[in-house]
Amino acid sequence: MPRERWSSVTDASLPWLVLEDAGAVIGYAYASRWHARSAYRHTAESTIYLESSVRGRGHGRRLYTYLLDEIRRLPIHVVVGGIALPNDPSIAFHQALGFTSVGGFHRAGWKFGRWHDVSWWEVALQDRPPGE
C-alpha cells in the first residue's frame, strides 16, 4: 500500500479498510476521489484487493459491502470502479453488489507486463441531491 495513496484517501476523509488474519494484511478496500474538479466531488472510485489465497471465501463481499456502507454516510452519490479485462470473477462480483457496466477503454491499463482493456462500472448510492 503506497503511503501517498493512503494519505490522499484519508486526507479527503474517505474510507480505507484493511482486512487482517492473524496480524497479516490479506486485503484492503478504499474509496478515492474520482476526479479533482468540483463537479465530481459527489463521485468516488472504489478499489478492492484480496490476497489470492483467501478469495472465494466471502471476505471480498464483506469488505466491499462495508466499504459501500461507509461511503453511504458521506455526500457521495455514485461509486465507480474499473476492472482490467479479462476478469469474469470481478465482473460477477460487481454485478452481485449492484454495479452496472457503463463502458470501457481499450488498452488503458498496464499490468502483468501487458496492456489490458478496462471496463467501467457504477452503482448509485443516493438519489437525493447533495446537501439534502
Side-chain angles (χ1 to χ4, degrees):
M1 294 181 276
R3 186 154 189 70
E4 301 83 30
R5 189 177 320 149
W6 179 83
S7 292
S8 71
V9 169
T10 57
D11 288 350
S13 298
L14 294 168
W16 185 302
L17 308 174
V18 176
L19 182 62
E20 295 182 357
D21 182 31
V25 174
I26 59 171
Y28 58 88
Y30 63 91
S32 57
R33 293 188 182 276
W34 185 53
H35 284 291
R37 291 182 168 230
S38 179
Y40 305 113
R41 69 189 177 279
H42 302 289
T43 302
E45 181 177 348
S46 59
T47 299
I48 185 168
Y49 170 79
L50 282 177
E51 290 285 339
S52 59
S53 63
V54 300
R55 292 182 188 156
R57 298 183 191 170
H59 296 305
R61 179 179 292 273
R62 283 192 302 277
L63 187 59
Y64 216 138
T65 298
Y66 191 79
L67 177 69
L68 293 174
D69 288 345
E70 290 295 304
I71 295 170
R72 277 187 186 89
R73 298 175 188 197
L74 304 171
I76 300 295
H77 169 69
V78 68
V79 175
V80 300
I83 301 172
L85 302 176
N87 195 335
D88 291 340
S90 186
I91 289 171
F93 176 73
H94 282 81
Q95 287 174 326
L97 291 171
F99 282 76
T100 58
S101 176
V102 292
F105 298 100
H106 298 286
R107 299 172 50 94
W110 176 267
K111 66 183 199 177
F112 307 126
R114 68 182 188 95
W115 291 108
H116 292 265
D117 293 349
V118 178
S119 175
W120 281 92
W121 295 74
E122 70 176 4
V123 64
L125 300 180
Q126 304 174 25
D127 289 329
R128 66 184 184 278
E132 290 189 6

